[in-house]
Short mmCIF file of all heavy atoms in Angstrom, two decimals:
data_model
loop_
_atom_site.label_atom_id
_atom_site.label_comp_id
_atom_site.label_asym_id
_atom_site.label_seq_id
_atom_site.Cartn_x
_atom_site.Cartn_y
_atom_site.Cartn_z
N ASP I 1 14.37 -3.27 -2.88
CA ASP I 1 13.35 -3.48 -3.91
C ASP I 1 12.36 -4.58 -3.51
O ASP I 1 11.18 -4.51 -3.79
CB ASP I 1 14.00 -3.84 -5.24
CG ASP I 1 14.72 -2.65 -5.88
OD1 ASP I 1 14.38 -1.51 -5.52
OD2 ASP I 1 15.64 -2.87 -6.69
N TRP I 2 12.88 -5.59 -2.83
CA TRP I 2 12.04 -6.70 -2.36
C TRP I 2 11.00 -6.18 -1.36
O TRP I 2 9.82 -6.54 -1.43
CB TRP I 2 12.92 -7.76 -1.73
CG TRP I 2 12.24 -9.05 -1.41
CD1 TRP I 2 11.71 -9.43 -0.21
CD2 TRP I 2 12.01 -10.15 -2.30
NE1 TRP I 2 11.17 -10.69 -0.29
CE2 TRP I 2 11.32 -11.16 -1.56
CE3 TRP I 2 12.30 -10.38 -3.64
CZ2 TRP I 2 10.95 -12.38 -2.13
CZ3 TRP I 2 11.92 -11.59 -4.21
CH2 TRP I 2 11.26 -12.57 -3.47
N LEU I 3 11.43 -5.33 -0.45
CA LEU I 3 10.50 -4.76 0.52
C LEU I 3 9.57 -3.74 -0.13
O LEU I 3 8.38 -3.67 0.20
CB LEU I 3 11.27 -4.09 1.66
CG LEU I 3 12.18 -5.02 2.50
CD1 LEU I 3 12.99 -4.21 3.50
CD2 LEU I 3 11.34 -6.08 3.22
N PHE I 4 10.08 -2.94 -1.04
CA PHE I 4 9.29 -1.90 -1.69
C PHE I 4 8.12 -2.52 -2.47
O PHE I 4 7.02 -1.96 -2.52
CB PHE I 4 10.18 -1.09 -2.63
CG PHE I 4 9.43 -0.02 -3.39
CD1 PHE I 4 9.15 1.20 -2.81
CD2 PHE I 4 9.02 -0.23 -4.70
CE1 PHE I 4 8.47 2.19 -3.50
CE2 PHE I 4 8.33 0.74 -5.40
CZ PHE I 4 8.05 1.96 -4.80
N ASN I 5 8.36 -3.67 -3.09
CA ASN I 5 7.32 -4.33 -3.88
C ASN I 5 6.45 -5.28 -3.07
O ASN I 5 5.71 -6.08 -3.63
CB ASN I 5 7.98 -5.11 -5.04
CG ASN I 5 8.47 -4.21 -6.13
OD1 ASN I 5 7.70 -3.72 -6.96
ND2 ASN I 5 9.79 -3.95 -6.16
N ASP I 6 6.54 -5.21 -1.75
CA ASP I 6 5.72 -6.01 -0.84
C ASP I 6 5.87 -7.50 -1.11
O ASP I 6 4.91 -8.27 -1.05
CB ASP I 6 4.23 -5.59 -0.97
CG ASP I 6 3.41 -6.01 0.23
OD1 ASP I 6 4.02 -6.31 1.29
OD2 ASP I 6 2.18 -6.08 0.12
N CYS I 7 7.11 -7.89 -1.43
CA CYS I 7 7.36 -9.29 -1.77
C CYS I 7 7.20 -10.23 -0.58
O CYS I 7 6.93 -11.42 -0.76
CB CYS I 7 8.76 -9.45 -2.37
SG CYS I 7 9.00 -8.52 -3.92
N GLU I 8 7.38 -9.73 0.62
CA GLU I 8 7.22 -10.58 1.80
C GLU I 8 5.80 -11.13 1.90
O GLU I 8 5.58 -12.25 2.35
CB GLU I 8 7.54 -9.75 3.07
CG GLU I 8 8.95 -9.22 3.12
CD GLU I 8 9.89 -10.16 3.83
OE1 GLU I 8 9.48 -10.75 4.84
OE2 GLU I 8 11.03 -10.32 3.37
N ARG I 9 4.83 -10.33 1.42
CA ARG I 9 3.43 -10.75 1.49
C ARG I 9 2.98 -11.43 0.21
O ARG I 9 2.17 -12.36 0.25
CB ARG I 9 2.55 -9.52 1.77
CG ARG I 9 1.09 -9.85 1.97
CD ARG I 9 0.31 -8.60 2.38
NE ARG I 9 0.36 -7.59 1.32
CZ ARG I 9 -0.51 -7.54 0.30
NH1 ARG I 9 -1.49 -8.42 0.22
NH2 ARG I 9 -0.43 -6.59 -0.59
N MET I 10 3.52 -11.02 -0.92
CA MET I 10 3.05 -11.51 -2.22
C MET I 10 3.90 -12.63 -2.78
O MET I 10 3.63 -13.12 -3.88
CB MET I 10 3.04 -10.34 -3.21
CG MET I 10 2.19 -9.15 -2.79
SD MET I 10 0.44 -9.55 -2.68
CE MET I 10 0.08 -9.86 -4.40
N GLU I 11 4.92 -13.09 -2.07
CA GLU I 11 5.86 -14.07 -2.61
C GLU I 11 5.16 -15.37 -3.00
O GLU I 11 4.22 -15.84 -2.35
CB GLU I 11 6.98 -14.34 -1.62
CG GLU I 11 6.49 -14.93 -0.30
CD GLU I 11 7.58 -15.01 0.75
OE1 GLU I 11 8.55 -14.22 0.67
OE2 GLU I 11 7.46 -15.85 1.65
N VAL I 12 5.65 -15.98 -4.09
CA VAL I 12 5.13 -17.26 -4.60
C VAL I 12 6.16 -18.32 -4.32
O VAL I 12 7.35 -18.17 -4.65
CB VAL I 12 4.87 -17.15 -6.11
CG1 VAL I 12 4.43 -18.51 -6.67
CG2 VAL I 12 3.84 -16.10 -6.41
N VAL I 13 5.73 -19.44 -3.70
CA VAL I 13 6.66 -20.50 -3.31
C VAL I 13 6.26 -21.87 -3.84
O VAL I 13 7.03 -22.81 -3.72
CB VAL I 13 6.79 -20.57 -1.76
CG1 VAL I 13 7.44 -19.30 -1.23
CG2 VAL I 13 5.44 -20.82 -1.11
N MET I 14 5.07 -21.98 -4.46
CA MET I 14 4.58 -23.26 -4.96
C MET I 14 4.33 -23.19 -6.47
O MET I 14 3.87 -22.16 -6.97
CB MET I 14 3.29 -23.64 -4.25
CG MET I 14 3.43 -23.78 -2.72
SD MET I 14 4.46 -25.19 -2.27
CE MET I 14 3.37 -26.54 -2.76
N PRO I 15 4.63 -24.28 -7.21
CA PRO I 15 4.38 -24.28 -8.65
C PRO I 15 2.93 -23.99 -9.01
O PRO I 15 2.65 -23.34 -10.03
CB PRO I 15 4.78 -25.70 -9.07
CG PRO I 15 5.76 -26.15 -8.03
CD PRO I 15 5.30 -25.51 -6.76
N LEU I 16 1.98 -24.45 -8.18
CA LEU I 16 0.55 -24.20 -8.45
C LEU I 16 0.26 -22.72 -8.43
O LEU I 16 -0.55 -22.22 -9.21
CB LEU I 16 -0.29 -24.94 -7.41
CG LEU I 16 -1.83 -24.84 -7.60
CD1 LEU I 16 -2.22 -25.42 -8.96
CD2 LEU I 16 -2.57 -25.54 -6.47
N GLN I 17 0.94 -21.99 -7.56
CA GLN I 17 0.73 -20.55 -7.50
C GLN I 17 1.26 -19.87 -8.76
O GLN I 17 0.70 -18.87 -9.21
CB GLN I 17 1.46 -19.98 -6.26
CG GLN I 17 0.87 -20.40 -4.93
CD GLN I 17 1.68 -19.90 -3.75
OE1 GLN I 17 2.83 -20.32 -3.55
NE2 GLN I 17 1.12 -18.99 -2.99
N CYS I 18 2.31 -20.43 -9.34
CA CYS I 18 2.82 -19.90 -10.61
C CYS I 18 1.79 -20.04 -11.72
O CYS I 18 1.60 -19.15 -12.54
CB CYS I 18 4.11 -20.61 -11.01
SG CYS I 18 5.52 -20.20 -9.95
N ASP I 19 1.12 -21.21 -11.73
CA ASP I 19 0.08 -21.44 -12.75
C ASP I 19 -1.06 -20.44 -12.59
O ASP I 19 -1.58 -19.91 -13.58
CB ASP I 19 -0.45 -22.87 -12.65
CG ASP I 19 0.62 -23.91 -12.94
OD1 ASP I 19 1.60 -23.55 -13.63
OD2 ASP I 19 0.48 -25.07 -12.48
N GLU I 20 -1.46 -20.21 -11.34
CA GLU I 20 -2.53 -19.23 -11.09
C GLU I 20 -2.10 -17.82 -11.50
O GLU I 20 -2.88 -17.07 -12.06
CB GLU I 20 -2.90 -19.25 -9.59
CG GLU I 20 -3.51 -20.58 -9.13
CD GLU I 20 -3.73 -20.60 -7.63
OE1 GLU I 20 -3.30 -19.64 -6.96
OE2 GLU I 20 -4.33 -21.57 -7.13
N LEU I 21 -0.84 -17.51 -11.24
CA LEU I 21 -0.32 -16.20 -11.62
C LEU I 21 -0.32 -16.03 -13.13
O LEU I 21 -0.68 -14.99 -13.65
CB LEU I 21 1.09 -16.04 -11.07
CG LEU I 21 1.76 -14.67 -11.25
CD1 LEU I 21 0.98 -13.59 -10.50
CD2 LEU I 21 3.20 -14.71 -10.78
N THR I 22 0.06 -17.10 -13.84
CA THR I 22 0.07 -17.05 -15.31
C THR I 22 -1.35 -16.89 -15.84
O THR I 22 -1.59 -16.12 -16.78
CB THR I 22 0.71 -18.32 -15.87
OG1 THR I 22 2.02 -18.47 -15.35
CG2 THR I 22 0.76 -18.29 -17.38
N ALA I 23 -2.29 -17.62 -15.24
CA ALA I 23 -3.70 -17.52 -15.69
C ALA I 23 -4.24 -16.12 -15.47
O ALA I 23 -4.95 -15.57 -16.33
CB ALA I 23 -4.55 -18.54 -14.93
N GLN I 24 -3.93 -15.52 -14.33
CA GLN I 24 -4.37 -14.16 -14.07
C GLN I 24 -3.78 -13.17 -15.07
O GLN I 24 -4.45 -12.23 -15.51
CB GLN I 24 -3.99 -13.75 -12.64
CG GLN I 24 -4.75 -14.50 -11.56
CD GLN I 24 -4.24 -14.17 -10.17
OE1 GLN I 24 -3.36 -13.32 -10.01
NE2 GLN I 24 -4.79 -14.84 -9.17
N THR I 25 -2.53 -13.39 -15.42
CA THR I 25 -1.87 -12.50 -16.39
C THR I 25 -2.54 -12.60 -17.76
O THR I 25 -2.72 -11.60 -18.45
CB THR I 25 -0.39 -12.86 -16.50
OG1 THR I 25 0.21 -12.78 -15.20
CG2 THR I 25 0.33 -11.92 -17.45
N GLU I 26 -2.89 -13.84 -18.16
CA GLU I 26 -3.54 -14.03 -19.45
C GLU I 26 -4.95 -13.44 -19.47
O GLU I 26 -5.40 -12.93 -20.50
CB GLU I 26 -3.59 -15.52 -19.78
CG GLU I 26 -2.22 -16.13 -20.03
CD GLU I 26 -2.28 -17.63 -20.23
OE1 GLU I 26 -3.39 -18.20 -19.99
OE2 GLU I 26 -1.27 -18.24 -20.60
N GLN I 27 -5.66 -13.50 -18.35
CA GLN I 27 -7.02 -12.98 -18.28
C GLN I 27 -7.04 -11.45 -18.19
O GLN I 27 -7.95 -10.80 -18.72
CB GLN I 27 -7.76 -13.56 -17.05
CG GLN I 27 -8.04 -15.04 -17.19
CD GLN I 27 -8.70 -15.60 -15.93
OE1 GLN I 27 -9.00 -14.85 -15.00
NE2 GLN I 27 -8.93 -16.92 -15.90
N HIS I 28 -6.03 -10.87 -17.54
CA HIS I 28 -6.00 -9.41 -17.38
C HIS I 28 -4.65 -8.87 -17.84
O HIS I 28 -3.85 -8.39 -17.02
CB HIS I 28 -6.23 -9.06 -15.90
CG HIS I 28 -7.49 -9.64 -15.33
ND1 HIS I 28 -8.73 -9.15 -15.60
CD2 HIS I 28 -7.67 -10.70 -14.48
CE1 HIS I 28 -9.65 -9.87 -14.96
NE2 HIS I 28 -9.04 -10.83 -14.27
#
């Protein structure tokens, strides 16, 4: 499932990236 969802390329490792992900979710 990790490979199927392209997690190797899309993985988030920094808290700042989580904030950006949350903002994108709220906007779209």
Side-chain angles (χ1 to χ4, degrees):
D1 288 338
W2 190 264
L3 298 175
F4 178 82
N5 286 282
D6 199 18
C7 298
E8 298 269 320
R9 185 174 63 87
M10 303 296 293
E11 62 188 25
V12 176
V13 295
M14 300 292 291
L16 183 60
Q17 292 176 293
C18 290
D19 297 337
E20 294 174 354
L21 185 64
T22 303
Q24 292 175 3
T25 303
E26 293 175 351
Q27 291 177 4
H28 306 284

